Each structure stands twice: as structure tokens, then as C-alpha cells.
Amino acid sequence: MSATTDLPSTPTEVRRRAEEHLQALVGSPDAALREDQWTAIEALAVARRRALVVQRTGWGKSAVYFVATLLLREQGAGPTVIVSPLLALMRNQIEAAQRAGIRAVTINSTNLEQWEETHRAINAGEVDVLLVSPERLNNPGFRDEVLPRLAATCGLLVVDEAHCISDWGHDFRPDYRRIRTLLGELPDGIPVLATTATANTRVTTDVSEQMGSDTLVLRGSLDRESLRLGVVRLRTAQQRLAWLADHLAEQPGSGIVYCLTVAATQEVADYLRSRGHEVAAYSGQTETTERQALEGALIRGEVKALVATSALGMGFDAKLGFVVNLGAPGSPVSYYQQVGRAGRGVDPDPGATVVLLPAIEDRDIWAYFGSLAFPAEEQVRQTLEVLASEGRALSTANLETHVELSRTRLEQMLKVLDVDGAVRRVRGGWEATGRPWSYDAERYARVREAREREQQAMLDYLSTDACRMRYLREQLDDPDAVDCGRCDNCGGLTLDATVSQAAVSEAEERLGRPGVVVDARKMWPSGLSSLGIGLSGKIKAGASEGRAVARLTDLGHGQALRELFRDSTPDGPVPTGLVRAVVEVLGDWRPRVDGIVVVESERRGALTADFADGLSRYLKKPVLGRYAIVDPDVAPGQGAMNSAQRVAAVGRRYSLSLDEDVAGLSVLLVDDQVVTGWTMTRAAHALRDAGAAAVLPLALATQS
């Protein structure tokens, strides 16, 4: 978009031109900027300032940066760079930008094949807006070759979902911390806009300080006049599913049913479809093309709901009539963000309905996500020492063989260390910089304590008899919070908590149907040779596809399994309900079994022995031996944080001990639960080496 020759010269003319752009953007000749929107646009496009906009979802933050982009491009400025973590939001924004004649492109993990062409278009001045995911900011090629050029030539930098910059924010992402460096490298006079709908005072202060002392902070009311909030408390997972089946059709328009786990999205969507509802599952594991199709179907009202994890984030074009949360997020701030997906562009009367169906198991899921916090200092120091001693770049996979952290936590930790200057991401992996680094234990502890307070605040939201919208706004430090008059506690929403017996019965049948496929490992982890283990590449003789009764996170048998495996539950025989579930799994699976081998357990020895003996009696097949504990000094679960460490630990802890020959036999390999899958894999490998024709894993539970 080239500069025009007739540029507006007075504030009135600039505002008139801005409103013309807004009208093209939203497709309405009557659209007009509100005063707070104009204040933000004027700061960016006229004063060339930095601004932090904290406004509710649906306020029009994206309109601000698109209109500012058009004004700046007319003045001859370079392209706008928007950093956004939500791929769905990126797609919505590109479509909106194109309506206003803005040439927008994106660089993210789903369009690798387009990067070269996108870079060429940027260099040729053919791009008005570039949307990038935060992960791109520290990709070595992008960081070293593309980012410096963009920093020098961009006309506006936009940081969307800016609460991610702050580790006080509910959705802190280490990649976002790279933005602090980018801000410092921008030439004078390049305006910066940071936007979020979910920042309390502490997060707002943190982000504005990172942007600079002269940052303009525009914070508005966080009331959502179109939302009617309510809570329905039901005792069992079956009742909650039944409520959805009975009452989903009553919800206005199309919407989202949020779940806390990927497994739940599949389980709930399958059940609702069986009850005649047009729904589909959506998560971070959904293939990109399918995601786009599902987002379009939701926006067009072609489905009643998407049953989704928090991976689903929509742009301002989505007009949704409801959000139902099956399980509570871990903080009121996260919840406010999710419910904000509803009610955009919806008339406040009757408005959009927001329902929360909390569950006891929510706390277990919060605890799991809490376990992914920043590692202990010992593990961080060990990582730095390994990199320093090697004196060269090491891949994450190679580092896994030295540090007992999962790949996800290791990657997250390295990103923080990168921003702190202790390591640097390069082609081929990570290298130490040699710069001094201190472990800020006090800050990490404060963040952990803040998370715990947020979880308690979420529990208090469930039980409060005060206005629910006011409660959420006060959690976000909204000084103008008042009673909404629309929620169930204010009397503006009445929710029917009754469920039909037919729906409950079908939910019980659905959730009571046990059986989860346990996929066999196909490849040995890389780097085992450095641990003295001669295994690599494809697993040529391993396990066949197996089964488990349920995932620990499942809504049905998951609850019984979580109780069984709590530390406070004493070791003992398989509970009767789970015995029946195992029998049902075997009836559906119908494996050919010649004999049984049991994986010994130190903590659940009685359980696994009873499991194997019971199977032997039921199947009338002998127990042929054990995958026996030979080195109890190797702790149960040791190395479980990454694959290479776990394979090594399992090899030291266990050895195959057979009472009978297994040559040519089909062996049922029995364990209490599958965590990483490597115990089953090494046991199956040992059995195949001993001549077994097939190894079929069977467990009570799986963690994934």
C-alpha cells in the first residue's frame, strides 16, 4: 500500500480518515470510533507513542491496530508486525484485514512452505501486516536474519495477548519474553501497541514497565453487558454430561463447550453426537486443515458447538451465543478470557449464556499443570554445566539424556534461560553463553503462591452468592466493578439443573464403557548411545497394540483410577468395579493369549499380583514369569521426565525372569498403569528377544 499524496493534516481530518478505514474494515458505512479507540489510534498513528490497551473482549482492539496500520502506511511507514499466540485469531484477522484492503500474511508453524514467498513479499514492500507466532521470535534463522530487518523497517509493532509477557499473567509464555529484547532494538519513533483483555493491576504494571516509562496505559471497564453468567453444580460426571445433552439445544445460537483435557473433548463430543447434537472436538492436536474447517463451521452456525480445549481462540468476527465450561479453569482470569469468546456482537437482550459445570477432579488437573512450573535450581544448573562442558551446540534430544526433565519442560526452561542470556538457541540446538546467571527462587515461589491463590479464588467463584460478573471484574482489579443484574446470583439468569434419567443412563453407559488403546512405541529415543545403551532407530521387535481400562483424566473410570493410584490409597487387590471393567475390555478386544507376564511394582505389588492372578483364572492361562525388579536402588518412575533417561532407568531396574519358555507364544504383558510407555516397551523387547511371537500390553490405567 503506497503513501497517498493527499494526507490528512489536522486531528479532525485524521479522525475522519480513520473512521473511513473502520467502515471498510467492518463493512458498515455507519461505523464510528469510540473516544477510547480514537485515543489509542491517535497515540500510535499521530504521536508515534507506545500504548498498552487493557480492554474487554469485543471492545475492538484489533480495529485499533488495523486502522492505525492504514494511517501509518498512508504516511509511508513500513509494515505492521503483529505477534499473536492464537493461530485461529490470526486467521480471523487476516480475513478481516483483507476486507479493508490490507495485505496481511502470517508466519507460523503451520505454513512452513509459504515462508520463503512471504519473506520475498516483505522485502518487496508488498505486505502491510505480518502476523507471527511468538515462537518465531527465537527461531535462529528468523531471529538473526528476518527480525533485525523487520525491527528496522516496521511501521508498527503490535503485541496481542500481552499478558503472556508477564510471568504474573495467567498464560505466561517464555517466547514472549523475547519481545522485551525486540522493544529495545526498535528505532526511535516506531509506535508499539500491546493489547490484552485479561490483565490485573500487577500484570498491567509489569507489562507497561517492560514497554517503557512513557507508555500510555488505556484501561477500560471489563464488564461484558451481553454475558449472563451462571453455575450448575452436579455431583457426578454422568450428571454433568446428561445436563449437556438435555440443555445444549436450549442455548442460544452456536457456541463452545470447553474441557480441561484433550481426552475429554473427544469423549464429550462422541457422547453429544450420540444424543443427536451437531458438535465436533477441537484441540491443539487437531490437524490444521480440520481446525480451519471447524472454525468456519462454528462462525457460520453450521455446528451447535465445538467441544474444545483452550486451544480454541476466536477473533472479533465470531458471534457466539454461549460458552459452557465442563470443568473449571485454574483461575478467574483464565475463566474470564474463555467466557469472553461468547457475546461478541450479540444484543445484550437476551445476550449470551455462560454456564460453568465444575467437577471435583478439576483440582487434580490443576495440580498436573502446576507440576510443569520452572524446574528446581539443581536441574537448571545441571543443564548449564552440560552445555558448558560440551562447548558446542546440543539438541534438546541430546540434552534429555543428561537432564531428567520432560522435553516440554526442558524446552520451556531453555527459552527462559535464553532470554536471561545464559544460553543461546542456534542452528543445531542450544549453547551456553558463559554469562553469569542467578536462580530467582524468591520470584518463582511468589509466582507459585500467586497460582495457588488464583485456584482458591476460582473455588470461591463457584460458591459465591454475590454477583458473578462483579467477582470476575474485581479479580482483574476493575475499579468500576458493580453488580451486573444479569447473572444467576443477581436474578437475571435462571438455569435448570434437572437432568433426565434417560440422559443419565446413557451417560453412565458411555462413561462406563472401558477400553483405551495403548499404542506401541515405534522408535527408540535418540542419544541412547551416550548412555551406553545399544538401541537406536526403529523398534523392530516390540509390543503390539494394547489396552488400558481408561485414562487417568477420563470422566468415567478415570475417577475410580485416580482414587486407586492416590498416594494415600493403600496397596491391595483390584477393586470389584475395575475387575468388571477389565473383563469388558477383554470381551471387546478379544486378544489371543497363551500366557501372562506381570511387571513387578514396588508400590503396588499386591495390586499387580492380584491383577495377574485374576487374569490367569479368568483366561485360564498360566503366569509365565515376571519383569522383575533387580535393582531397587533405581527409584520407581526414575527418568520419567524424558525418554532416554527413562529407557536407561528401566533397563537398570528390571530384568526378565521367566518360569516357562515363551518361544512362539502370544504373551499378555500386565502392568498397573502406563506412564511413559517405556517399561512396557523394554519388557516387550525382552520377551521378543526370548522368542515370544507377540506381546500384548494390558494396564488398568494410562496417563495419556
Side-chain angles (χ1 to χ4, degrees):
M1 185 174 293
S2 59
T4 66
T5 56
D6 187 18
L7 296 176
S9 56
T10 68
T12 300
E13 291 173 344
V14 175
R15 181 162 184 169
R16 176 188 56 77
R17 185 65 176 146
E19 292 191 333
E20 289 174 357
H21 290 317
L22 176 69
Q23 290 157 6
L25 183 67
V26 301
S28 171
D30 301 323
L33 292 166
R34 297 189 303 273
E35 285 303 317
D36 46 7
Q37 288 178 311
W38 167 242
T39 299
I41 292 169
E42 185 179 34
L44 298 168
V46 178
R48 304 291 181 99
R49 292 186 63 184
R50 295 184 175 185
L52 169 60
V53 173
V54 182
Q55 297 281 1
R56 67 185 184 277
T57 301
W59 174 85
K61 295 183 287 292
S62 51
V64 167
Y65 50 71
F66 280 140
V67 170
T69 292
L70 288 162
L71 293 174
L72 289 164
R73 291 290 277 163
E74 287 176 342
Q75 298 168 32
T80 291
V81 177
I82 302 175
V83 183
S84 174
L86 302 173
L87 296 182
L89 184 57
M90 284 187 184
R91 290 189 282 271
N92 284 173
Q93 288 175 329
I94 288 175
E95 292 171 5
Q98 290 171 345
R99 286 199 298 270
I102 299 172
R103 299 166 297 183
V105 296
T106 180
I107 294 178
N108 60 66
S109 59
T110 69
N111 66 349
L112 303 178
E113 71 285 352
Q114 299 173 16
W115 288 5
E116 186 173 340
E117 175 61 22
T118 298
H119 291 162
R120 185 205 63 75
I122 293 169
N123 293 336
E126 299 170 356
V127 171
D128 299 315
V129 170
L130 171 65
L131 293 104
V132 299
S133 59
E135 291 76 18
R136 286 298 95 210
L137 298 178
N138 204 31
N139 171 273
F142 187 86
R143 180 196 64 208
D144 297 335
E145 299 165 17
V146 180
L147 195 57
R149 189 164 60 247
L150 285 177
T153 62
C154 78
L156 169 66
L157 174 65
V158 178
V159 183
D160 200 12
E161 307 293 338
H163 57 271
C164 298
I165 294 176
S166 172
D167 55 8
W168 297 110
H170 76 277
D171 191 21
F172 167 62
R173 303 189 183 197
D175 289 301
Y176 256 68
R177 296 184 67 181
R178 176 62 53 189
I179 293 171
R180 285 194 295 188
T181 304
L182 178 58
L183 290 171
E185 295 172 351
L186 287 177
D188 292 339
I190 302 297
V192 177
L193 171 65
T195 69
T196 180
T198 48
N200 57 23
T201 300
R202 180 169 54 189
V203 173
T204 299
T205 300
D206 190 13
V207 174
S208 63
E209 287 176 351
Q210 292 185 44
M211 293 179 68
S213 58
D214 63 341
T215 297
L216 172 67
V217 178
L218 295 172
R219 185 179 180 120
S221 168
L222 297 180
D223 189 20
R224 295 292 311 281
E225 295 179 357
S226 60
L227 296 187
R228 298 177 301 155
L229 305 175
V231 174
V232 175
R233 306 195 76 161
L234 297 168
R235 188 174 57 85
T236 68
Q238 290 85 345
Q239 290 172 334
R240 291 187 287 276
L241 272 187
W243 188 93
L244 273 176
D246 284 348
H247 298 285
L248 187 63
E250 301 167 4
Q251 307 310 312
S254 295
I256 302 172
V257 176
Y258 275 115
C259 300
L260 297 182
T261 66
V262 173
T265 64
Q266 295 286 350
E267 199 169 12
V268 173
D270 287 346
Y271 167 73
L272 290 176
R273 281 194 296 267
S274 76
R275 296 284 298 173
H277 295 287
E278 190 68 29
V279 301
Y282 182 113
S283 72
Q285 295 182 11
T286 305
E287 194 272 328
T288 302
T289 303
E290 184 182 357
R291 276 203 204 191
Q292 295 175 5
L294 291 174
E295 292 159 14
L298 180 62
I299 291 172
R300 295 188 296 270
E302 296 170 359
V303 294
K304 182 63 178 178
L306 292 186
V307 184
T309 63
S310 58
L312 178 58
M314 305 301 293
F316 66 88
D317 282 338
K319 296 181 180 179
L320 303 181
F322 68 90
V323 164
V324 176
N325 281 75
L326 194 63
S331 77
V333 181
S334 298
Y335 185 57
Y336 178 86
Q337 184 180 55
Q338 289 187 9
V339 303
R341 304 299 176 209
R344 303 185 189 191
V346 174
D347 191 325
D349 186 15
T353 303
V354 173
V355 183
L356 176 56
L357 297 163
I360 294 174
E361 56 266 27
D362 295 347
R363 303 185 201 194
D364 293 332
I365 297 172
W366 298 347
Y368 168 74
F369 288 122
S371 71
L372 303 180
F374 197 70
E377 182 172 7
E378 179 183 354
Q379 293 169 311
V380 183
R381 294 290 180 196
Q382 183 183 4
T383 305
L384 292 173
E385 289 169 6
V386 169
L387 288 172
S389 63
E390 288 288 333
R392 61 184 177 89
L394 292 180
S395 67
T396 307
N398 197 313
L399 274 171
E400 276 187 312
T401 65
H402 301 280
V403 183
E404 191 174 332
L405 288 171
S406 68
R407 181 162 301 189
T408 299
R409 290 190 75 196
L410 184 58
E411 283 275 4
Q412 293 286 87
M413 181 188 75
L414 288 165
K415 289 173 181 178
V416 172
L417 293 176
D418 186 358
V419 175
D420 288 346
V423 305
R424 175 178 169 82
R425 188 172 184 175
V426 296
R427 283 186 171 86
W430 304 86
E431 63 181 14
T433 63
R435 297 178 189 171
W437 179 84
S438 60
Y439 187 89
D440 195 346
E442 183 179 349
R443 183 172 181 83
Y444 302 139
R446 291 202 310 270
V447 171
R448 183 177 63 254
E449 290 164 2
R451 295 288 183 268
E452 292 170 354
R453 287 194 298 272
E454 289 170 353
Q455 291 175 7
Q456 183 57 52
M458 195 67 226
L459 295 175
D460 293 342
Y461 173 82
L462 303 178
S463 58
T464 185
D465 58 3
C467 172
R468 296 197 190 277
M469 179 57 76
R470 179 173 187 164
Y471 184 94
L472 293 179
R473 292 173 67 185
E474 288 175 343
Q475 288 296 311
L476 282 153
D477 298 323
D478 185 346
D480 300 320
V482 295
D483 289 356
C484 71
R486 304 179 303 271
C487 68
D488 57 351
N489 286 341
C490 286
L493 174 66
T494 301
L495 292 170
D496 184 357
T498 61
V499 293
S500 66
Q501 187 53 51
V504 172
S505 297
E506 189 162 336
E508 287 175 345
E509 180 183 352
R510 175 74 55 162
L511 295 181
R513 190 178 304 157
V516 174
V517 171
V518 176
D519 291 320
R521 292 278 191 172
K522 304 296 185 185
M523 301 288 292
W524 294 111
S526 57
L528 288 177
S529 60
S530 66
L531 297 174
I533 300 172
L535 299 171
S536 64
K538 185 177 180 180
I539 301 175
K540 298 181 176 63
S544 301
E545 181 182 270
R547 292 291 188 276
V549 170
R551 303 176 188 88
L552 286 173
T553 56
D554 281 349
L555 300 175
H557 290 288
Q559 184 169 347
L561 289 166
R562 287 191 296 273
E563 288 294 332
L564 177 63
F565 290 112
R566 289 191 196 280
D567 291 340
S568 57
T569 302
D571 188 18
V574 180
T576 303
L578 289 175
V579 170
R580 289 194 294 266
V582 171
V583 170
E584 192 171 343
V585 169
L586 292 170
D588 290 339
W589 186 22
R590 298 185 180 278
R592 187 180 76 82
V593 177
D594 298 315
I596 299 165
V597 169
V598 60
V599 177
E600 285 190 340
S601 171
E602 180 180 321
R603 288 183 286 197
R604 301 287 173 185
L607 178 72
T608 52
D610 180 70
F611 190 18
D613 290 343
L615 286 167
S616 177
R617 292 191 300 272
Y618 177 74
L619 296 171
K620 297 181 173 55
K621 301 295 180 182
V623 176
L624 304 173
R626 301 159 295 140
Y627 195 48
I629 298 172
V630 294
D631 187 354
D633 290 337
V634 179
Q638 183 170 321
M641 290 298 103
N642 70 62
S643 293
Q645 292 281 353
R646 183 59 183 158
V647 168
V650 170
R652 296 193 304 272
R653 179 173 172 79
Y654 293 96
S655 180
L656 184 62
S657 175
L658 295 175
D659 301 319
E660 299 183 33
D661 188 8
V662 298
L665 301 184
S666 179
V667 177
L668 190 67
L669 179 61
V670 175
D671 201 355
D672 56 352
Q673 63 173 311
V674 177
V675 180
T676 65
W678 287 117
T679 301
M680 285 285 204
T681 300
R682 293 219 66 169
H685 188 256
L687 282 164
R688 294 295 302 275
D689 276 352
V695 180
L696 306 167
L698 175 63
L700 292 173
T702 177
Q703 289 197 0
S704 61

